[in-house]
Amino acid sequence: MRFKPKDVEQLRADLPVDLAAINPLSTPGYVGKVSGKRLRRRFHKFDEELRTLQEQLFAHARISASTDDSASGGRGTNRAGAILLILQGMDTSGKGGMIRNALSVFDPQGLKPISFGAPNAEELSHDFLWRIRKHTPQPGEIVVFDRSHYEDVLIQRVESMATPEEIERRYGAIVDFESELAAQGVTIIKVMLHISPGFQKKNLLRRLCRVDKRWKFDPSDIENRAKWDDYQRAYEVAIDRTDSDHAPWYIVPSDNKLYARTAVKFLLLRRLRAMGLNWPDPGYDVAVQQRRLSQ
């Protein structure tokens, strides 16, 4: 069995997107018979590296906040970046489970999960990006959006909550917004967790059958299933209109939850590696501080 971090680049959205051509139970990049035991080993294989890279990202931000680069000879190694991971998908696609499981490897002080529900009255009185902007990553952070600004071109398109002209405007606003974030040093990863109607039905039935899961069930979920094709088309258009090299979309087949969680960990690992992180210069003379402690 082979499934390496570089293999997840196969999940990059191929435009124009045709979701019907992507099998939600497939495991792109995974060679050989799918084995839960072997996949679990891959799931955990790079955990220590992920922890180290996240701490280095956080450390760079901490040092940058307390040290003036110009006063330290113009060091460039202390510049801090950030990551924004956007998780989208139909109900029961595993967004919450992704955060609880795949991202539990990270230190909570540098990880910020944000869940976006239906906008409240105050949020509706502003442009759709107003509530999103308040939660964009600060240097050193990995921020995860459980749903996002894309709901405003998905749900609102399918449910005709906004005019076609307004939906069209929002595609452009999203592209501009994400370009702005990228220019500020934010690495953006956008993931659609792609599931089948049968997988969703099984998950919804499980929620109804378990007392501890019924609070997650919403009768409107059944109504939305009748609009499955409309939602798939809305995703296709949104991905086509907003995919870019600085804010790429990845379509992750997610009927196999462990595969999907491993794939997302690998996407994060590749982006963290690409940052060229190391341990930052602390901004003080280590030998001097050691002598002070020895006195």
Side-chain angles (χ1 to χ4, degrees):
M1 183 276 296
R2 296 193 307 274
F3 186 36
K4 299 177 181 178
K6 67 181 180 63
D7 294 327
V8 292
E9 292 305 319
Q10 297 180 34
L11 302 176
R12 176 74 188 270
D14 187 14
L15 309 184
V17 175
D18 180 6
L19 290 174
I22 302 173
N23 182 357
L25 194 57
S26 62
T27 54
Y30 187 108
V31 179
K33 183 179 179 180
V34 178
S35 163
K37 184 177 180 179
R38 291 177 179 175
L39 193 48
R40 275 190 291 275
R41 285 202 295 266
R42 300 304 289 176
F43 178 77
H44 290 294
K45 181 173 177 60
F46 300 98
D47 282 1
E48 190 56 41
E49 183 181 359
L50 280 164
R51 291 188 190 98
T52 298
L53 288 169
Q54 186 213 10
E55 187 174 357
Q56 289 174 337
L57 178 69
F58 190 81
H60 273 280
R62 180 65 63 87
I63 291 295
S64 294
S66 61
T67 304
D68 179 13
D69 280 354
S70 63
S72 57
R75 288 194 312 272
T77 57
N78 283 340
R79 289 175 295 176
I83 292 179
L84 174 60
L85 172 63
I86 296 171
L87 299 177
Q88 287 286 156
M90 298 291 285
D91 291 325
T92 81
S93 59
K95 298 179 290 295
M98 183 70 70
I99 294 170
R100 289 190 302 274
N101 293 276
L103 307 186
S104 63
V105 64
F106 293 129
D107 188 321
Q109 71 175 332
L111 180 70
K112 185 181 291 185
I114 307 293
S115 180
F116 289 99
N120 59 34
E122 181 186 16
E123 291 166 344
L124 287 170
S125 69
H126 295 271
D127 182 74
F128 78 105
L129 288 172
W130 180 78
R131 66 173 182 160
I132 305 296
R133 289 182 179 277
K134 296 191 294 183
H135 299 289
T136 53
Q138 297 302 304
E141 290 183 338
I142 298 175
V143 171
V144 188
F145 285 176
D146 178 348
R147 299 186 185 275
S148 67
H149 41 293
Y150 283 94
E151 296 297 288
D152 292 279
V153 293
L154 295 169
I155 292 177
Q156 297 213 10
R157 172 191 169 110
V158 173
E159 303 299 335
S160 299
M161 298 167 69
T163 65
E165 294 77 15
E166 173 60 14
I167 296 296
E168 189 67 24
R169 182 193 73 82
R170 291 176 185 179
Y171 293 133
I174 287 172
V175 170
D176 291 344
F177 168 61
E178 292 175 350
S179 295
E180 175 188 325
L181 288 181
Q184 294 169 359
V186 177
T187 295
I188 303 170
I189 309 169
K190 301 183 292 193
V191 173
M192 182 207 174
L193 300 174
H194 181 43
I195 61 172
S196 65
F199 181 81
Q200 187 193 63
K201 181 178 181 179
K202 181 175 68 175
N203 285 328
L204 290 174
L205 286 171
R206 184 180 295 115
R207 288 180 180 181
L208 286 171
C209 291
R210 289 182 53 175
V211 174
D212 61 330
K213 298 294 184 182
R214 288 175 186 164
W215 66 273
K216 291 186 175 183
F217 183 85
D218 187 328
S220 66
D221 293 341
I222 296 177
E223 298 165 12
N224 290 337
R225 280 177 57 79
K227 303 172 183 176
W228 188 275
D229 291 343
D230 293 335
Y231 274 102
Q232 298 299 287
R233 181 55 185 157
Y235 268 105
E236 290 172 346
V237 174
I239 293 171
D240 285 344
R241 292 297 305 276
T242 63
D243 180 82
S244 67
D245 287 339
H246 61 263
W249 271 105
Y250 293 87
I251 301 173
V252 178
S254 299
D255 276 14
N256 183 322
K257 288 185 178 180
L258 185 54
Y259 169 82
R261 292 168 182 173
T262 304
V264 170
K265 283 178 83 169
F266 283 4
L267 285 170
L268 284 163
L269 176 62
R270 284 180 63 76
R271 293 304 177 274
L272 284 164
R273 283 176 173 176
M275 289 181 174
L277 295 164
N278 52 23
W279 295 111
D281 183 334
Y284 54 80
D285 189 315
V286 175
V288 168
Q289 303 308 316
Q290 289 173 333
R291 286 196 297 271
R292 290 180 64 200
L293 280 171
S294 299
Q295 293 174 356

